[in-house]
Amino acid sequence: DQQVKQNSPSLSVQEGRISILNCDYTNSMFDYFLWYKKYPAEGPTFLISISSIKDKNEDGRFTVFLNKSAKHLSLHIVPSQPGDSAVYFCAAPPGAGSYQLTFGKGTKLSVIP
Amino acid sequence: NAGVTQTPKFQVLKTGQSMTLQCAQDMNHEYMSWYRQDPGMGLRLIHYSVGAGITDQGEVPNGYNVSRSTTEDFPLRLLSAAPSQTSVYFCASSSLKGGPQPQHFGDGTRLSIL
């Protein structure tokens, strides 16, 4: 049973526009969420995280929103740039004190110049 | 600033052969882990370790062994390779201090089993 779901395998966005990547989770024990970005032939790179005590975390062009009641989080990239083209993974540890990560299947973002 | 280093980057094996994927980190991280990534499957946890001498199984441990004799190294062993183990393998590490910390990943080992 997939506990972290990214239901959109791919997303195409025009350069300069907003990219919104979505992630749903089923386990209400999850209290910390991370987004990773992955380029081909490289390892995933940490992008941004959010704790369940917050509903928003911002870092430059990247903002993550958390809706605990809906068990949903989203990553907003504004403005999108061609260099943002990558696969984005949502991940969460299974609970407080745990360090293993459960990953979604990823969303491939293509930013079109 | 090496971070997490994985070797080799590519490997082709025949069914039944054994090999060890190497992983080393220079950040003095307590936590280390191995994942495999298959098309359309995301990353799945194979084994992990919270310190030297301590290892545990993840989601997909069958066919793999690990050991952690030092803080820096966390090798992954395939004792008898099978075609189902064809995948990209990533090693990751993180600190266990100060609450949840992001994991740092190596660039992966691409393994093909014929």
Side-chain angles (χ1 to χ4, degrees):
Chain A
D1 182 32
Q2 204 179 352
Q3 298 191 67
V4 177
K5 300 178 183 180
Q6 295 177 258
N7 293 319
S8 298
S10 62
L11 174 69
S12 290
V13 172
Q14 287 290 132
E15 180 179 3
R17 300 290 192 113
I18 184 172
S19 296
I20 300 176
L21 295 94
N22 294 305
C23 178
D24 298 297
Y25 61 97
T26 58
N27 190 338
S28 58
M29 296 298 291
F30 287 173
D31 61 0
Y32 180 65
F33 302 90
L34 307 92
W35 284 93
Y36 282 85
K37 179 167 76 172
K38 186 183 179 306
Y39 293 118
E42 294 184 10
T45 303
F46 169 71
L47 188 59
I48 192 169
S49 63
I50 188 166
S51 165
S52 61
I53 62 173
K54 294 185 175 182
D55 54 15
K56 176 183 173 181
N57 189 27
E58 194 170 355
D59 184 1
R61 297 185 296 112
F62 302 91
T63 303
V64 56
F65 295 92
L66 176 61
N67 182 333
K68 290 184 288 294
S69 61
K71 295 192 179 69
H72 176 83
L73 62 156
S74 60
L75 174 68
H76 293 213
I77 306 173
V78 183
S80 300
Q81 299 174 354
D84 296 328
S85 297
V87 178
Y88 290 79
F89 292 98
C90 172
S98 294
Y99 294 89
Q100 308 92 290
L101 291 179
T102 297
F103 281 83
K105 292 184 177 182
T107 297
K108 183 177 182 179
L109 173 66
S110 299
V111 179
I112 303 164
Chain B
N1 191 7
V4 178
T5 302
Q6 290 185 238
T7 55
K9 293 191 184 303
F10 304 94
Q11 185 70 50
V12 178
L13 292 178
K14 295 182 179 179
T15 297
Q17 287 185 314
S18 63
M19 82 159 293
T20 299
L21 279 63
Q22 302 292 344
C23 176
Q25 53 94 7
D26 61 359
M27 297 171 282
N28 202 32
H29 285 166
E30 302 88 350
Y31 183 85
M32 296 186 74
S33 55
W34 278 100
Y35 296 86
R36 61 178 287 175
Q37 185 189 14
D38 301 295
M41 294 294 292
L43 283 83
R44 294 183 292 168
L45 182 64
I46 305 172
H47 285 284
Y48 65 97
S49 168
V50 296
I54 306 169
T55 63
D56 207 345
Q57 297 180 351
E59 180 185 356
V60 288
N62 293 341
Y64 307 95
N65 282 349
V66 292
S67 59
R68 184 94 179 268
S69 57
T70 67
T71 299
E72 295 78 19
D73 300 297
F74 191 44
L76 178 72
R77 297 183 184 85
L78 284 71
L79 297 179
S80 179
S84 61
Q85 294 177 304
T86 293
S87 189
V88 181
Y89 292 85
F90 291 100
C91 179
S93 74
S94 69
S95 172
L96 293 181
K97 299 182 177 68
Q101 300 289 337
Q103 293 184 21
H104 300 257
F105 284 81
D107 282 337
T109 293
R110 285 145 189 85
L111 185 60
S112 294
I113 316 294
L114 305 178

